[in-house]
Amino acid sequence: MAIAFVTGATGLLGSHLVERLVREGWTVRALHRKPEDAAKLRKIGAEPIAGDLADPSALRRGVAGAYAVFHAAALFTMWAPAADFERANVEGTSNLLAAALAERVSRFVYISAAGVVMGDGKPMTDISEETPLAYPAWAPYLASKARAQKLVLDADTAGGLRTAVIMPPLIWGVGMPMLDHMVEDVKAGRFAWPAGGKQIMSTAHVDNVCACAILAAEKSPGGRAYFVTDGKNQPLRTVITELVGTKGVEIEARNAPLGMAWLMAGVMEFVWRTFGRAGEPPLTRQMLRMVGYDFTISDRRAREELGYAPVTSWTQGIAAMRGSA
């Protein structure tokens, strides 16, 4: 029975990944920081490993004897100091790679983000994994994920550690934390449709991301990145309306011209940074770049190389979310 070590196992993606690995017969170890998370991990079938990505001894314990590492942990927020993103997303990944190499792990699968190819604002449609990575200074989350992705792909060695990267767009499904924030913004009247919400986007249900990640551990030749999608592109307005609707909330919001929204985001960032205001700005350039333009990706490589196909459709996923509300 193969052993897998999972980071980020208490998050939306990581917890679903642990459950799927256990169902498929893997022995799963899971990294956690909070003592109270140990019981939650045991409940879903994982062996808890206390520590974090800055703790080499905990990482070595977690990966010792493992066949595969699934690295899903990340600092994901639209507003934090760039140094925090670098420490969590880049240095943390480097530490985990070092542990995997030292313990002679066979496979390392990193959950990146489709947005690592986003640079200056422009429509991007049906793009492939050959699209260059981007490192915009105003998008520290995306830039740090791009740097971590490069570390993982560069660590691939024939006859040694074989690495793969999964690049999902918006990850959604039952329990998605982002949905609660969206609902709060809608109810408080803080929500507006950038560019009218007409821009087309790809999505990836959490089940589909997990399925693709496991296929990558089993079948990738190594040193490869893969986009993963639901196989269906939709307007932003449709996606957000249906997600928020699973909470019984209707959106009545104004439209925000993209140019004006970009200017407002820059002003808000300046105010929050200069005056040290608590919380996140209502709008950031990083957030706007991720949703403000057409952005669709092709998962052709995953389908051809890994045999990937979506396991949960948009209709099925929305129905499950309505049923859990």
Side-chain angles (χ1 to χ4, degrees):
M1 190 180 298
I3 298 173
F5 180 58
V6 179
T7 71
T10 58
L12 172 68
L13 175 63
S15 61
H16 280 76
L17 181 57
V18 168
E19 291 174 347
R20 189 175 187 90
L21 286 165
V22 170
R23 285 200 307 271
E24 295 189 9
W26 292 69
T27 296
V28 181
R29 300 181 191 141
L31 189 68
H32 71 98
R33 291 179 295 176
K34 300 176 182 178
E36 59 268 27
D37 285 336
K40 298 176 185 177
L41 292 170
R42 290 192 186 95
K43 187 175 181 179
I44 60 175
E47 174 192 347
I49 302 293
D52 58 38
L53 293 172
D55 183 349
S57 62
L59 299 180
R60 289 287 292 268
R61 288 197 309 275
V63 304
Y67 173 75
V69 170
F70 294 89
H71 182 26
L75 174 60
F76 175 52
T77 175
M78 293 298 102
W79 187 251
D84 290 357
F85 288 110
E86 292 298 306
R87 184 164 48 251
N89 298 344
V90 183
E91 294 174 20
T93 300
S94 179
N95 293 340
L96 187 55
L97 280 168
L101 287 164
E103 295 293 339
R104 300 182 181 278
V105 171
S106 295
R107 298 283 178 160
F108 191 108
V109 179
Y110 175 57
I111 309 300
S112 184
V116 294
V117 299
M118 290 179 175
D120 295 336
K122 62 180 179 181
M124 302 175 74
T125 56
D126 197 34
I127 61 171
S128 73
E129 294 85 353
E130 303 304 322
T131 306
L133 299 176
Y135 308 90
W138 43 264
Y141 165 71
L142 294 176
S144 68
K145 293 291 282 186
R147 279 188 275 275
Q149 175 168 322
K150 186 175 188 305
L151 285 177
V152 172
L153 294 179
D154 287 349
D156 184 78
T157 56
L161 181 67
R162 305 319 304 261
T163 67
V165 171
I166 306 300
M167 298 189 294
L170 173 69
I171 301 176
W172 64 285
V174 174
M176 61 183 296
M178 186 185 301
L179 182 56
D180 292 333
H181 297 304
M182 286 192 287
V183 169
E184 288 176 9
D185 286 342
V186 170
K187 288 182 175 179
R190 295 189 297 264
F191 186 84
W193 293 111
K198 297 178 181 179
Q199 48 274 50
I200 305 299
M201 63 184 293
S202 299
T203 56
H205 189 274
V206 63
D207 290 347
N208 296 333
V209 181
C210 292
C212 191
I214 295 172
L215 285 170
E218 296 172 339
K219 298 183 178 182
S220 174
R224 300 287 273 173
Y226 302 93
F227 283 127
V228 57
T229 79
D230 295 325
K232 177 181 181 179
N233 300 321
Q234 303 180 89
L236 173 72
R237 183 181 285 266
T238 299
V239 170
I240 302 302
T241 297
E242 292 204 27
L243 287 174
V244 171
T246 64
K247 295 290 188 179
V249 175
E250 295 184 4
I251 301 178
E252 295 181 4
R254 65 191 183 283
N255 293 333
L258 198 54
M260 180 61 69
W262 190 267
L263 178 62
M264 289 173 58
V267 171
M268 289 178 186
E269 290 176 22
F270 173 79
V271 170
W272 257 252
R273 187 179 299 110
T274 302
F275 299 100
R277 297 190 62 172
E280 298 183 11
L283 186 64
T284 66
R285 288 173 292 175
Q286 183 166 235
M287 182 193 310
L288 196 58
R289 178 62 187 89
M290 294 173 72
V291 300
Y293 302 85
D294 289 344
F295 184 72
T296 62
I297 56 181
S298 169
D299 59 14
R300 191 172 301 111
R301 177 185 287 180
R303 292 173 184 265
E304 293 176 353
E305 289 189 9
L306 307 179
Y308 166 74
V311 297
T312 298
S313 69
W314 178 264
T315 301
Q316 291 168 332
I318 289 294
M321 292 176 72
R322 290 187 184 279
S324 69

